[in-house]
Amino acid sequence: MLWRAIRRMEVMVHSSSFLLPKLHQSAKIPANNYNLVVLNQHLPRLMPRLWSQANLRICADGGANRIFDEMSQMTSDQDNESNRNRYIPEIIEGDMDSIRPEVKRFYSHQGTKISDKSHNQETTDLHKCISSIRDRTPDHEKSDLCVVVTGALGGRFDHEAANINVLYVFSDMRIVLLSDDCLIRLLPKTHQHEIYIESSLEGPHCGLFPIGASSTSTTTTGLKWNLNDAKMKFGSMISTSNIVDSDKVTV
């Protein structure tokens, strides 16, 4: 009789508790420390909270324009100068083709590091930012690091596709693409996944589909329409318009 060896996969835990105020974050599900990357699209409504709780804040090129222009509209303080002095990114990185000269000058005078990567036109500004975060993070901190990206969704579809591709390029990192309407994360096929849902801020709709290759076997719990050893690929079945039916989803 032949027995097939089954390798038990390590479990990767995902939570969106970083969306909550720190006082409301569950001690049972520790929030990952996160770095914040701001791209050049409208800021999400939770941006002041995301900014204040981030360990590091990087604007990707024209994302600096968004902080400069829009943060004052998202707080009760109507003093634009005070707001601009309060929200200073540590780094502005990219090819510098979108940031306005006066914005670049303002943040430079405030001590922001300007990382001009205009010599590299082979990668997107988001790719440059994620690569920089990976290189500057000590190895012992990488397993707990999360990168939250705003402005990655909406606008031109080729930009959205490039941003989703970054999830696949850096599949060994926890990266979340966030907008007011959507939260996207990659679930590497090397792991089993436990996803803890913050129902006050996300859901109930969700989707699950393969990126880069087909999925030969996917099984879930916690969804209204669970998958059972499902095969998924573009051109055939993918799971869209599903409903979260529990505070914990497994894949």
Side-chain angles (χ1 to χ4, degrees):
M1 181 177 294
L2 297 177
W3 294 91
R4 184 179 63 174
I6 300 176
R7 179 174 59 88
R8 183 173 179 82
M9 290 184 177
E10 184 178 350
V11 174
M12 181 178 287
V13 176
H14 307 270
S15 169
S16 300
S17 59
F18 61 83
L19 296 172
L20 298 170
K22 285 197 172 181
L23 289 175
H24 296 166
Q25 293 177 7
S26 172
K28 296 180 181 178
I29 311 168
N32 293 99
N33 296 322
Y34 69 90
N35 292 346
L36 181 65
V37 177
V38 183
L39 303 186
N40 191 14
Q41 287 289 336
H42 289 299
L43 304 180
R45 65 184 183 276
L46 295 177
M47 192 64 186
R49 182 185 301 166
L50 293 170
W51 186 276
S52 66
Q53 296 180 170
N55 290 341
L56 177 72
R57 304 150 195 91
I58 301 179
C59 289
D61 196 359
N65 297 339
R66 299 292 178 170
I67 298 299
F68 188 86
D69 294 337
E70 298 180 21
M71 284 298 273
S72 62
Q73 305 168 23
M74 309 182 80
T75 66
S76 57
D77 186 353
Q78 298 304 308
D79 185 336
N80 284 349
E81 183 177 355
S82 173
N83 267 292
R84 285 172 179 161
N85 288 328
R86 184 184 308 160
Y87 298 106
I88 305 296
E90 284 85 354
I91 302 170
I92 298 173
E93 182 144 356
D95 58 10
M96 304 299 153
D97 66 343
S98 300
I99 187 172
R100 302 197 306 271
E102 72 274 17
V103 174
K104 183 178 178 181
R105 186 164 52 249
F106 172 80
Y107 287 124
S108 179
H109 288 166
Q110 294 294 326
T112 297
K113 177 183 176 182
I114 308 297
S115 180
D116 188 337
K117 297 294 179 65
S118 56
H119 61 280
N120 177 7
Q121 294 296 316
E122 299 299 317
T123 59
T124 65
D125 286 336
L126 177 57
H127 188 290
K128 293 177 176 68
C129 290
I130 300 298
S131 182
S132 176
I133 289 170
R134 182 183 61 182
D135 292 344
R136 69 188 292 123
T137 302
D139 288 342
H140 69 278
E141 296 180 6
K142 287 180 178 176
S143 61
D144 293 325
L145 177 67
C146 176
V147 182
V148 177
V149 183
T150 69
L153 306 171
R156 284 169 42 189
F157 178 71
D158 60 330
H159 286 171
E160 288 186 313
N163 294 332
I164 292 172
N165 183 60
V166 166
L167 299 181
Y168 188 71
V169 172
F170 296 94
S171 60
D172 60 335
M173 296 179 65
R174 297 173 185 264
I175 303 172
V176 175
L177 308 184
L178 179 68
S179 72
D180 279 336
D181 301 314
C182 196
L183 183 153
I184 297 177
R185 65 174 91 239
L186 182 72
L187 305 180
K189 65 181 181 181
T190 53
H191 290 71
Q192 294 181 357
H193 301 274
E194 295 180 354
I195 307 165
Y196 290 87
I197 307 300
E198 297 296 339
S199 58
S200 62
L201 291 168
E202 59 182 339
H205 295 92
C206 68
L208 188 67
F209 53 88
I211 296 178
S214 60
S215 170
T216 57
S217 176
T218 300
T219 299
T220 67
T221 66
L223 301 179
K224 185 173 182 179
W225 297 285
N226 280 306
L227 304 175
N228 185 16
D229 196 25
K231 297 176 173 61
M232 295 192 297
K233 67 177 181 178
F234 280 101
S236 182
M237 191 197 85
I238 60 174
S239 178
T240 64
S241 301
N242 212 324
I243 301 290
V244 172
D245 202 30
S246 173
D247 59 1
K248 175 184 171 183
V249 173
T250 67
V251 182

